[in-house]
């Protein structure tokens, strides 16, 4: 039994066990019926035909999708390489003792957490070019992603530093370290280790954000599945295969995050 | 062509209405479906638990934009044709329900096991202990996370613009292209999004302080 069920339910006795068995049977039938309904609807409209699905066994198609996955991972990696250090820096400024700097960092976090990524993307796509500022497609996608993820990372870092035992920083100061030395050598290394699971989870969000490459016509996974679907007239199956790829990659990342978390607790 | 302020603000106002309507419907729907999913995930019935887990894993790991294009362009291929607004709002409901479910589960987990054991020791039935002991405590710790989901829903409605719904972000783009007013439209839209997130954050903070339990 999981933690939550132990909280809500007593250990079942014979009567409860019989009720659970009956509910198991009923729900199995209901789930099977739901599945049959979906398959029936697919079959009715020819979505189960072999020509809709056989193409995903061919190497050129697989290769085409794999390069899309590669681009998605590239955007995620570069996005993280910019957003994570930038977020850490903003967090440190927010924790610093200079009031003006603190206010500026806070303003950045509050503002950019409230702007939807797509709006930011449109600013780079439609507004900035009017001011004579254009970027290559890759950066048109990446700068907004980094700008909108940095404040979230900053808040993760700030929470981590604040959760540190104050004695650690005090001990560093008593050894004669300055504020920044204490941060660099004592507080941050401990905080980062504890924050690792949260940071890996943030990668999932970054990877999901990369799907907005669809809007700027950057050929990442989602845009590639669109091209595939329109070229072969397999819109539904293409998007379904693309979605499955996202689930597999992100579920692996989430699994990694929860493993890191368990290792820390254990 | 000179343009008055009302010409840019008019479309943005329409967009705002759509944004608010989508946010309200999608969040309410996600709450209802999220409760159902959480009940499934916690229940002692194995197939329902598996169903809940599978749902949450799938929907949390697919980018919302992928779900949107899948439903908007894919559903007609299996003979399900709804209006664009209905499809988009339904997609957001399905997506955010997975997050609501996890918030509820995490909230229930904050209640110490001893509370449930004490309730049983007092002779309360399962229903009584859930209603009087566990839920009142669990609900309090869900205020802030649920507000975060609400803010995320409000911001995510902007993605509807990418599949052709003229909500606020879509209108900002439209106004920019038609009236050449990038600064006004994007600034006004940003202000509204900031207002939405800050108001929800403030309200949630108020509620949370009011119902906080000091242990």
């Amino acid at each position: 039994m999981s933690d939550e069920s132990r909280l809500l339910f007593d250990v079942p006795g014979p009567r409860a066990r019989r009720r659970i068995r009956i509910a198991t049977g009923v729900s199995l039938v209901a789930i099977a019926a739901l599945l049959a309904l979906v398959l029936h609807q697919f079959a009715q409209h020819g979505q189960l035909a072999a020509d809709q699905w056989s193409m995903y066994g061919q190497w050129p198609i697989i290769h085409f999708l794999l390069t899309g996955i590669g681009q998605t991972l590239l955007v995620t990696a570069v996005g993280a390489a910019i957003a994570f250090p930038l977020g850490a820096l903003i967090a440190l400024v927010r924790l610093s003792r200079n009031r003006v700097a603190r206010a500026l960092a806070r303003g950045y976090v509050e503002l950019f957490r409230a702007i939807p990524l797509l709006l930011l993307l449109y600013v780079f796509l439609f507004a900035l070019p009017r001011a004579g500022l254009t970027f290559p497609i890759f950066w048109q996608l990446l700068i907004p992603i980094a700008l909108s993820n940095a404040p979230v990372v900053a808040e993760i870092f700030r929470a981590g530093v604040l959760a540190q035992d104050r004695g650690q920083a005090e001990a560093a100061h008593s050894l004669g370290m300055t504020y920044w030395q204490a941060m660099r050598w004592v507080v941050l290394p401990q905080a980062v280790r504890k924050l690792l699971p949260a940071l890996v989870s943030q990668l999932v969000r970054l990877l999901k954000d990369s799907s907005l490459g669809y809007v700027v016509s950057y050929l990442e996974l989602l845009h590639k599945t669109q091209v595939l679907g329109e070229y072969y007239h397999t819109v539904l199956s293409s998007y379904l295969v693309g979605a499955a790829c996202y689930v597999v990659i992100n579920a692996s990342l989430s699994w990694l995050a929860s493993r890191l978390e368990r290792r820390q607790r254990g | 062509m000179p343009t008055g302020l009302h010409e840019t603000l008019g479309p943005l106002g329409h967009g705002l209405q759509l944004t608010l309507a989508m946010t309200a419907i999608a969040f309410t729907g996600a709450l209802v479906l999220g409760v159902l999913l959480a009940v499934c995930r916690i229940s002692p019935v194995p197939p329902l638990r598996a169903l809940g887990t599978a749902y949450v894993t799938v929907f949390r790991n697919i980018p919302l934009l992928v779900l949107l294009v899948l439903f908007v362009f894919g559903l007609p291929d299996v003979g399900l044709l709804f209006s664009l607004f209905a499809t988009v709002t339904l997609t957001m409901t399905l997506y955010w329900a997975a997050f609501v479910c996890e918030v509820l589960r995490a909230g229930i987990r904050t209640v110490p096991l001893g509370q449930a054991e004490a309730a049983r020791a007092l002779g309360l039935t399962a229903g009584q202990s859930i209603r009087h002991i566990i839920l009142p405590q669990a609900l309090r710790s869900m205020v802030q996370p649920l507000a975060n989901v609400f803010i995320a829903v409000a911001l995510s409605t902007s993605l509807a613009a990418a599949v052709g719904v003229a909500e606020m972000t879509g209108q900002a783009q439209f106004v920019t292209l038609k009236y050449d007013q990038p600064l006004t439209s994007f600034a006004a839209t940003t202000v509204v999004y900031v207002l939405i997130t800050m108001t929800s954050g403030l309200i949630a903070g108020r509620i949370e302080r009011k119902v906080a339990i000091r242990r």
Side-chain angles (χ1 to χ4, degrees):
Chain A
M1 259 176 139
S2 63
D3 284 353
E4 308 94 77
S5 0
R6 254 195 318 166
L7 192 69
L8 296 182
F9 305 103
D10 227 332
V11 178
R15 250 190 344 161
R17 274 208 297 274
R18 201 176 63 226
R19 271 208 301 266
I20 291 174
R21 270 204 302 278
I22 294 171
T24 302
V26 172
S27 52
L28 273 180
V29 171
I31 293 170
L34 197 69
L35 215 60
L37 191 72
V38 171
L39 284 179
H40 174 76
Q41 197 73 22
F42 269 59
Q44 281 273 302
H45 293 85
Q47 290 298 333
L48 291 183
D51 62 328
Q52 290 285 322
W53 296 92
S54 60
M55 51 190 267
Y56 302 109
Q58 292 162 10
W59 174 244
I61 305 280
I62 297 175
H63 182 255
F64 183 75
L65 285 173
L66 279 180
T67 52
I69 291 177
Q71 292 300 327
T72 289
L73 293 179
L74 180 70
V75 172
T76 310
V78 179
I82 300 174
F84 284 15
L86 183 63
L89 186 71
I90 295 165
L92 286 183
V93 173
R94 253 197 102 167
L95 291 163
S96 77
R97 277 165 295 187
N98 185 328
R99 195 184 296 172
V100 180
R102 231 166 37 209
L104 280 176
R106 175 149 188 226
Y108 171 81
V109 168
E110 296 287 355
L111 180 65
F112 278 80
R113 269 206 313 187
I115 301 181
L117 178 54
L118 186 63
L119 187 70
L120 209 54
L121 209 61
Y122 279 167
V123 170
F124 277 75
L125 211 54
F126 302 112
L128 290 188
R130 309 227 158 191
L133 208 58
T134 42
F135 298 93
I137 291 184
F138 181 73
W139 294 104
Q140 232 164 26
L141 173 64
L142 217 88
I143 297 174
I145 288 183
L147 283 179
S148 85
N149 274 275
V152 187
V153 175
E155 288 304 279
I156 295 176
F157 267 104
R158 197 169 71 101
V161 170
L162 288 179
Q164 279 288 310
D165 187 357
R166 278 177 55 111
Q168 294 286 333
E170 281 163 9
H173 294 319
S174 72
L175 285 174
M177 287 191 187
T178 64
Y179 172 80
W180 289 106
Q181 278 174 331
M183 273 287 171
R184 166 72 187 81
W185 298 107
V186 180
V187 179
L188 274 187
Q190 296 184 56
V192 166
R193 204 163 301 163
K194 247 186 219 144
L195 292 176
L196 216 50
L199 291 177
V200 174
S201 302
Q202 186 63 20
L203 277 180
V204 173
R205 191 191 140 174
L206 258 161
L207 201 142
K208 286 165 138 189
D209 284 349
S210 76
S211 67
L212 268 82
Y214 172 85
V215 180
V216 294
S217 298
Y218 180 73
L219 274 174
E220 41 66 56
L221 183 55
L222 177 59
H223 194 54
K224 285 226 164 189
T225 55
Q226 186 204 12
V227 171
L228 205 62
E230 280 170 6
Y231 188 75
Y232 289 99
H233 299 289
T234 53
V235 173
L236 187 65
S237 69
S238 289
Y239 283 140
L240 279 175
V241 168
C245 293
Y246 279 108
V247 171
V248 170
I249 302 170
N250 280 335
S252 323
L253 278 177
S254 307
W255 175 80
L256 182 69
S258 68
R259 239 185 88 114
L260 286 171
E261 206 168 312
R262 260 206 305 280
R263 213 176 61 176
Q264 280 174 3
R265 257 192 266 144
Chain B
M1 184 179 71
T3 48
L5 200 58
H6 69 278
E7 267 168 312
T8 50
L9 290 186
L12 290 180
H14 286 296
L16 176 61
Q17 281 172 12
L18 266 186
T19 294
L20 292 179
M22 278 199 296
T23 307
I25 300 173
F27 184 69
T28 315
L31 271 186
V32 175
L33 186 58
V35 170
L36 282 178
L37 282 171
V39 170
C40 279
R41 282 204 78 171
I42 300 172
S43 82
V45 183
L48 287 184
R49 266 207 316 262
L51 183 72
T53 310
Y55 183 97
V56 170
T57 309
V58 166
F59 278 83
R60 273 213 317 179
N61 286 320
I62 298 180
L64 179 55
L65 185 59
V66 174
L67 277 183
L68 282 171
V69 293
L70 176 64
F71 280 55
V72 169
F73 303 117
L75 280 187
D77 280 0
V78 289
L80 298 170
L81 201 58
F82 308 113
S83 77
L84 188 57
F85 178 83
T87 312
V88 168
T89 314
L90 174 75
T91 312
M92 285 181 188
T93 302
L94 293 176
Y95 179 78
W96 289 111
F99 290 82
V100 170
C101 167
E102 290 308 276
V103 166
L104 301 183
R105 244 166 42 104
I108 290 173
R109 221 179 297 161
T110 58
V111 181
L113 195 57
Q115 296 281 330
E117 286 165 353
R120 273 171 214 145
L122 287 174
L124 297 189
T125 63
Q128 279 172 332
S129 73
I130 290 174
R131 200 145 24 97
H132 298 301
I133 310 286
I134 295 170
L135 270 193
Q137 298 186 55
L139 284 176
R140 285 155 200 244
S141 60
M142 294 174 197
V143 175
Q144 197 60 50
L146 279 182
N148 288 342
V149 173
F150 178 82
I151 292 172
V153 173
L155 296 185
S156 77
T157 57
S158 67
L159 281 181
V163 290
V165 177
E167 46 60 77
M168 225 171 19
T169 300
Q171 293 287 14
Q173 181 206 0
F174 167 76
V175 169
T176 302
L177 294 180
K178 179 150 187 212
Y179 300 109
D180 197 15
Q181 297 273 353
L183 201 67
T184 338
S185 59
F186 282 118
T189 315
T190 302
V191 167
V192 175
Y193 280 118
V194 171
L195 278 180
I196 293 176
T197 50
M198 280 181 70
T199 326
S200 345
L202 281 179
I203 293 174
R206 276 256 170 95
I207 299 176
E208 197 180 32
R209 267 197 302 282
K210 212 166 211 169
V211 299
I213 327 166
R214 275 169 273 289
R215 284 212 179 90

